[in-house]
Amino acid sequence: MQKQCTNCGTTFEITKIDISFYDRVSPVFRAKKVVIPIPTKCPDCRLQQRMVHRNEWSLHKRKCDSSGKGIIAIYPENSPYSVYDQEIWWSDAFDPLEYGRDFDFKRPFFIQLNELNRAVPKASIHNAMSENSAYTNYSAENRNCYMVVGGLGCEDCYHSYRVFYSKDVCDCFDMYKCERCYECNECS
């Protein structure tokens, strides 16, 4: 069966095997099967939707909403969130409990969750105890690294993802205790 993606408009195919799979994995609650519907978006748009929950690579120069200092952040200047420099966010400079609020059972849950999400300040980036590694994210204890995401204990590493205790690594993925590597994957 040919379907047209409701997001991008491209045509994609749903096979009988796909329909059988959705039927087979549909959950049963109180002896009643809840059928998983056939997708309305193409595989690429579905993948994009699944992966949109966390920005790792897009870094932006912006100002801290608390101090006004120039920072590197995963949120652009025009985002709807308050973004604090990570040192301020982790400190006692503000009380996160002041953003607490009572739940209103007369209003939809997700609307209230979205309001809370927009009110609470976000950490600009996740980069702890690193030296000269401002452009790294979800990383810690790095030295002289640039555009490393998910790095730990690295030195002089560049443009890599999931690199641990490595040195002089560039354009690599999933490296552990490696040195002088270029375009390597899953090495130790």
Side-chain angles (χ1 to χ4, degrees):
M1 149 185 0
Q2 294 291 318
K3 300 269 298 179
Q4 186 170 10
C5 179
T6 57
N7 188 48
C8 69
T10 61
T11 304
F12 66 100
E13 185 176 2
I14 300 288
T15 65
K16 291 180 180 178
I17 295 170
D18 294 330
I19 294 169
S20 171
F21 171 77
Y22 291 126
D23 182 58
R24 192 172 65 248
V25 298
S26 293
V28 177
F29 298 104
R30 295 184 182 156
K32 183 179 178 190
K33 183 183 257 188
V34 180
V35 179
I36 294 175
I38 294 172
T40 59
K41 295 180 180 167
C42 70
D44 287 340
C45 287
R46 282 182 274 156
L47 177 63
Q48 189 176 40
Q49 188 175 15
R50 285 192 303 274
M51 299 184 99
V52 76
H53 76 283
R54 179 168 128 167
N55 172 24
E56 295 178 334
W57 288 99
S58 297
L59 303 180
H60 308 271
K61 286 187 175 185
R62 63 168 294 152
K63 295 210 182 296
C64 172
D65 289 322
S66 176
S67 68
K69 171 183 140 186
I71 58 172
I72 305 299
I74 57 177
Y75 302 96
E77 191 77 49
N78 62 355
S79 77
Y81 307 111
S82 292
V83 178
Y84 287 6
D85 184 30
Q86 67 175 349
E87 283 80 24
I88 294 172
W89 194 84
W90 284 107
S91 75
D92 291 331
F94 78 102
D95 180 13
L97 297 178
E98 74 183 41
Y99 296 96
R101 49 187 74 178
D102 291 329
F103 182 74
D104 183 357
F105 287 95
K106 295 177 183 162
R107 296 180 58 219
F109 168 77
F110 287 108
I111 289 173
Q112 294 179 72
L113 180 64
N114 186 45
E115 290 169 355
L116 178 64
N117 191 29
R118 287 180 182 240
V120 177
K122 309 283 184 228
S124 60
I125 205 164
H126 302 282
N127 179 5
M129 300 178 291
S130 295
E131 177 186 333
N132 192 26
S133 301
Y135 290 87
T136 60
N137 194 18
Y138 297 107
S139 298
E141 302 173 20
N142 295 315
R143 186 169 179 247
N144 301 328
C145 293
Y146 179 77
M147 291 305 290
V148 171
V149 173
L152 175 62
C154 296
E155 186 173 346
D156 299 316
C157 295
Y158 310 95
H159 301 275
S160 297
Y161 183 67
R162 292 181 40 89
V163 181
F164 307 102
Y165 307 107
S166 297
K167 185 174 180 174
D168 298 316
V169 167
C170 184
D171 291 332
C172 292
F173 169 74
D174 208 9
M175 307 293 282
Y176 182 73
K177 291 187 177 179
C178 295
E179 283 191 33
R180 292 174 279 179
C181 296
Y182 176 69
E183 287 191 347
C184 296
N185 291 320
E186 300 175 350
C187 296
S188 61

